[in-house]
Amino acid sequence: MEKTVYNSFPLHPECPDLGRLADNPTEALLRAEADIVAAEKAAEADRYRTLEDLEEAQQDGRGVTRRTFVAGAAATATALATAQFVTTSASFAATPTGTLIHVFLYGGLDGLSLVAPDNDPVLTKDRPELLLGNDSLALARGFKLTSAFKPLEQWLKAGQLGFIPAVSDERLSRSHFQAADACNLGGLPHETGGRGWLDNLVDNLGKGTAFRGVGIGSTLPRSLVGNNGALSLNNVGSLRLNGDERFRAATEKAIKGLFTGINHPVEEAVQDGMGALVTAQKLAAKPYQPAAGVKYEGIGNAFQQLAQLIKGGANVRVATVGMGGYDTHENQGTQDGGQLHRRLGELASAMAAFFTDLGPQAADVTIMVSSEFGRRIGSNKGGTDHGHGGVVTVLSGKKLASSLLGTWNGLDKDKQDSGDVPEYNNMFNVYGSVAQGRFGLTNAQVEKMLFPGSDRAYKPVKLYA
């Protein structure tokens, strides 16, 4: 009895029946199935090429571009399934554990130009032209805070703004690339497998929407690279499948067609991911209106995108903002009117606008600001060179234990790290403590997240009240 093969493609272009493919029925069947596979493969290749041609028409940097979902026929399904949409869920409800935003200051912030012990004899001798001004704000334990942070004074008085000085790690060098890489990974590459610490953190937060990991900017930071498909976007409106409205509907139809009726779990994930894009477009359908009196400028524009997502219920769990301009070898300008003072003022104004804009929802948000390293204690006559012992800033909806957090044992010569601020607080213990307090993680979860490939033990730093 001849076996019938049911398929939408013909058995063979010229041979409609098995008997004419081969004398042996088994061999004929194999040949027929091979021809079917070849025909299906050719048809799918045509669909991929069509999709790629449509995508080619859009500009890089506008939402989901070829970098994230079309890198040739073979990569299309993989990138869509594993990088953008596979982690999505239908729920867009606000998360009960809130949002952690990591602001990374590229270049190496001079922490002693942000917070410093008042009337310290070492600073007076080694950096007389870089001392904080008389208009500085008072912190706990005899420290003072640059006046550039005055926009955040109300949160300082409310116990929601704090600083951890002398933060470093023995594995950090004075190389921008190496140190920034380690900070974003949460350790050295061979310890982390090249996976970002925030991506590891997402594993501990359960399922979420496509917005649960968001990097504001044109490229995804190393901290979000990994298994959970974080999104990289310059603004909420740019999160779309094409940069030209003429091609949007066709591209969406092609993607939905590729992942419909495939009898695979990825089908649901992709459909949910498409829903996430629809949500982004709804949020961007009309110009965003911040709360009354709020104005975003400079780096504040990045925070505005996060405010729009959070207030729109997109369920952002972790997010990143990057800010450059902190490599101050010369013309550092610590006091009012100086270069670094202006840079820090821009950051403080952005954070103040963001928390004001969020209103009651700010209670569920924590911002952590850090840099790849600090700078030398001594000045080089107007600036500072790369060093260790930086400062981590925390602005949180949760009340903090103090305005000055962690350990501080002074800058005496016998305690310095070859002219640098010593490591009194380990960077990754601080990172872990910020995340732990925000999300209620266990010590074991944090240790696995930040020290996955080493024998280092996590030691929490008390940060929250």
Side-chain angles (χ1 to χ4, degrees), residues 20-42:
R20 298 175 64 179
L21 290 177
D23 294 334
N24 185 305
T26 301
E27 182 179 349
L29 181 61
L30 290 174
R31 288 184 178 181
E33 290 177 342
D35 285 341
I36 291 170
V37 171
E40 289 177 334
K41 183 177 179 180

Side-chain angles (χ1 to χ4, degrees), residues 162-199:
F163 304 86
I164 307 100
V167 176
S168 189
D169 186 273
E170 62 186 10
R171 295 170 291 178
L172 300 181
S173 72
R174 290 185 177 88
S175 160
H176 289 298
F177 178 81
Q178 189 275 342
D181 201 43
C183 292
N184 279 294
L185 294 176
L188 299 179
H190 75 271
E191 297 170 347
T192 63
R195 187 181 182 194
W197 81 277
L198 288 176
D199 184 72

Side-chain angles (χ1 to χ4, degrees), residues 75 168 182 210 260 283 308 311:
S168 189
T260 298
L283 291 175
Q308 187 173 5
K311 292 169 70 175

